[in-house]
């Protein structure tokens, strides 16, 4: 796959509006009356510990979007790294805007 330009990748980085690291898990619990309650948690590694945070049902969509945003950021940063590596190997300097 041909490498995209640095400006295209940076433009895509600006398009990511939310980014949360971690994983969303679905939990189910049987209630006393026999029904099954479903809830979601965000699992994140913080200071070497797995920390879980309850996600309110009305905010689940935003959390799903933000976790996907983090994945997209990781992919874009990796792609940017490849482009910059190739540019440095070829001796190309990044263009900087001159201030007047």
């Amino acid at each position: 796959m041909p490498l995209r330009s640095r400006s295209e990748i940076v433009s895509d980085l600006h398009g990511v509006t939310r980014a949360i690291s971690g994983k969303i898990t679905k939990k189910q619990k049987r209630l006393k009356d026999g029904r099954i309650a479903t809830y979601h948690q965000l699992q994140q590694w913080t200071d070497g510990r797995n920390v879980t945070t309850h996600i309110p049902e009305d905010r689940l969509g935003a959390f799903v979007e933000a976790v996907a945003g983090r994945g997209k950021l990781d992919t874009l940063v990796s792609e940017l790294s490849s482009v910059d590596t190739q540019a440095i190997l070829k001796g190309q300097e990044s263009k900087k805007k001159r201030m007047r």
Side-chain angles (χ1 to χ4, degrees):
M1 179 171 106
L3 298 176
R4 297 189 304 153
S5 73
R6 189 173 207 288
S7 61
E8 289 175 311
I9 298 166
V10 171
S11 177
D12 285 352
L13 283 168
H14 286 292
V16 178
T17 56
R18 294 182 176 178
I20 295 177
S21 64
K23 173 179 160 180
I24 296 174
T25 58
K26 179 180 175 180
K27 302 287 182 177
Q28 293 185 326
K29 181 178 182 179
R30 185 172 299 278
L31 303 176
K32 288 182 180 181
D33 64 4
R35 291 182 298 140
I36 296 177
T38 302
Y39 61 97
H40 295 85
Q41 293 178 322
L42 174 67
Q43 290 184 314
Q44 298 175 298
W45 285 98
T46 306
D47 297 326
R49 297 181 62 136
N50 186 9
V51 177
T52 60
T53 305
H54 173 75
I55 301 174
E57 195 64 35
D58 64 329
R59 304 229 172 88
L60 179 60
F63 273 90
V64 169
E65 178 186 329
V67 169
R70 171 59 190 262
K72 185 172 183 179
L73 281 181
D74 289 345
T75 300
L76 290 169
V77 168
S78 178
E79 185 179 3
L80 185 63
S81 175
S82 296
V83 168
D84 284 350
T85 300
Q86 292 304 313
I88 291 170
L89 287 172
K90 291 178 182 176
Q92 299 171 346
E93 298 297 322
S94 63
K95 296 178 183 177
K96 294 185 178 179
K97 294 182 180 178
R98 297 174 81 181
M99 301 299 285
R100 291 184 186 212

